[in-house]
Amino acid sequence: MDNLLPYKEQQDCIFHGITRIASIDPQELTPEWLLIQNNMAMAFCLNSWMFNRGLK
């Protein structure tokens, strides 16, 4: 990970992933997909928190 994406692109990628998973019928989501969605949501929040704290 030598070439990290800028903050806005990171957030866009994470948000796009969350919305793609959210578009799947909840009945068809496996526990693994739910875990991925939850982890992406946490990463999105953590990224925002770090940016707001001036750590990025």
Side-chain angles (χ1 to χ4, degrees), residues 18-45:
I18 292 169
T19 56
R20 294 277 310 242
I21 294 171
S23 70
I24 299 171
D25 180 5
Q27 299 293 334
E28 297 180 18
L29 284 177
T30 63
E32 292 83 11
W33 278 110
L34 290 171
L35 182 61
I36 291 169
Q37 183 181 30
N38 289 338
N39 287 342
M40 291 177 87
M42 286 189 281
F44 187 86
C45 292

Side-chain angles (χ1 to χ4, degrees), residues 1-13:
M1 300 209 41
D2 294 330
N3 299 324
L4 295 175
L5 290 174
Y7 167 77
K8 173 130 177 40
E9 283 85 7
Q10 287 179 29
Q11 290 298 79
D12 288 345
C13 288

